[in-house]
């Protein structure tokens, strides 16, 4: 399958910003945020997230438009890109994980995207939607990108949905601090370090989300 590049449309992004906010307010009773990282004026960042639902595809856009304000792009499975072509207009580009050569092309495109000022990238390193509660098993793309872009912040973001208090679900998001693995680590070791950092955040979400509102702020 052919590679699908990002083709951002400022006009579409403006309209879609308000539509996305409306969707989340309608779908969730509350959206909460614990933010341990805010990009500086010249910061560039790779944000990596756990992937358990369809809504995960819109969370990066929501966070970037209302908090991070960077030139954001996102890696997205090629099958999903073809099913939801509008993602191309908000900065998504495709990756075919079944074809090594194609996957490498997508990762190189991601690296080239960081030539833009205040660039960022959102990535789901598990590569596909996984059952909530399962152990994280990342593919090697995130570690490879971090090696190619040593000056870029690598930031974990945990996503957790629950119906502890209401029949309508609540969404909790937790943005961690940048992960800085030693440069001597192998790709496998770096991958494991990134997994551990996100697993710690998810464990924190499971312990506190729905029980202690004081450590979160109301996002939506």
């Amino acid at each position: 399958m052919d590679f699908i590049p990002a083709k951002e449309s400022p006009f579409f992004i403006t309209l879609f910003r308000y539509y996305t906010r409306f969707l989340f307010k309608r779908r969730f009773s509350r959206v909460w945020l614990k933010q341990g990282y805010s990009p500086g004026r010249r910061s560039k960042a790779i944000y990596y997230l756990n992937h358990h639902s369809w809504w995960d595809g819109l969370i990066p856009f929501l966070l970037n438009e209302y908090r991070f304000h960077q030139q954001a792009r996102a890696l997205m499975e090629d099958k999903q890109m073809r099913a939801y072509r509008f993602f191309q207009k908000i900065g998504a580009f495709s990756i075919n994980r079944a074809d090594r050569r194609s996957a490498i092309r997508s990762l190189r495109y991601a690296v080239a995207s960081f030539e833009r000022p205040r660039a960022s990238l959102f990535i789901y390193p598990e590569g596909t939607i996984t059952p909530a509660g399962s152990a994280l098993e990342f593919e090697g793309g995130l570690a490879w990108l971090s090696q190619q872009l040593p000056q870029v912040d690598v930031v974990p973001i945990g996503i957790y949905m629950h119906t502890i208090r209401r029949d309508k679900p609540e969404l909790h998001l937790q943005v961690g601090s940048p992960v800085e693995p030693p440069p001597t680590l192998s790709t496998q070791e770096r991958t494991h370090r990134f997994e551990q950092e996100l697993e710690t955040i998810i464990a924190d979400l499971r312990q506190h989300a729905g029980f202690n509102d004081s450590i979160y702020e109301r996002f939506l």
Side-chain angles (χ1 to χ4, degrees):
M1 296 183 181
D2 294 335
F3 171 70
I4 304 173
K7 290 186 178 179
E8 292 91 341
S9 166
F11 176 72
F12 184 83
I13 287 173
T14 298
L15 292 179
F16 199 66
R17 177 190 308 137
Y18 298 107
Y19 179 64
T20 301
R21 184 181 177 89
F22 164 76
L23 284 179
F24 276 81
K25 288 179 72 68
R26 185 180 69 174
R27 180 64 180 86
F28 297 98
S29 60
R30 300 284 191 278
V31 179
W32 303 89
L33 177 64
K34 183 179 180 181
Q35 188 172 348
Y37 171 83
S38 295
R41 293 181 60 185
R42 297 183 180 180
S43 297
K44 299 182 180 183
I46 297 172
Y47 302 99
Y48 69 98
L49 311 86
N50 54 306
H51 195 12
H52 301 318
S53 78
W54 180 89
W55 288 94
D56 299 342
L58 294 177
I59 288 171
F61 181 78
L62 192 73
L63 284 171
N64 190 65
E65 289 300 302
Y66 289 98
R67 285 304 171 102
F68 299 150
H69 306 295
Q70 293 172 297
Q71 292 199 70
R73 284 184 171 170
L75 271 166
M76 188 171 185
E77 189 176 15
D78 56 345
K79 295 177 183 178
Q80 294 297 314
M81 284 285 291
R82 284 172 174 79
Y84 304 101
R85 292 301 291 255
F86 68 87
F87 278 104
Q88 186 180 26
K89 294 182 180 181
I90 61 175
F93 58 95
S94 70
I95 184 168
N96 181 355
R97 297 164 47 248
D99 185 329
R100 179 177 173 79
R101 181 176 297 180
S102 177
I104 291 173
R105 177 183 178 181
S106 297
L107 292 174
R108 288 176 175 166
Y109 181 86
V111 170
S113 293
F114 279 92
E115 295 175 2
R116 303 171 303 149
R118 288 185 53 77
S120 69
L121 176 71
F122 288 85
I123 180 172
Y124 291 94
E126 292 170 283
T128 186
I129 293 178
T130 60
S134 58
L136 298 176
E137 294 184 7
F138 291 174
E139 297 181 346
L142 174 61
W144 185 86
L145 286 169
S146 71
Q147 291 170 317
Q148 303 302 309
L149 300 162
Q151 304 304 317
V152 172
D153 295 332
V154 182
V155 181
I157 300 177
I159 302 171
Y160 184 68
M161 302 176 190
H162 65 85
T163 53
I164 294 171
R165 300 184 288 196
R166 300 174 177 87
D167 59 342
K168 196 174 182 181
E170 294 180 72
L171 170 62
H172 280 70
L173 306 172
Q174 185 165 328
V175 182
S177 300
V179 184
E180 300 179 3
T184 55
L185 294 186
S186 66
T187 298
Q188 185 177 1
E189 290 170 330
R190 295 172 78 88
T191 296
H192 184 56
R193 173 70 183 278
F194 291 136
E195 289 172 345
Q196 287 180 317
E197 294 292 337
L198 185 51
E199 284 175 343
T200 298
I201 288 175
I202 294 171
D204 188 68
L205 284 166
R206 289 178 182 147
Q207 180 178 358
H208 296 107
F211 299 101
N212 184 3
D213 292 342
S214 66
I215 62 175
Y216 303 97
E217 61 176 301
R218 179 78 178 272
F219 188 28
L220 292 178

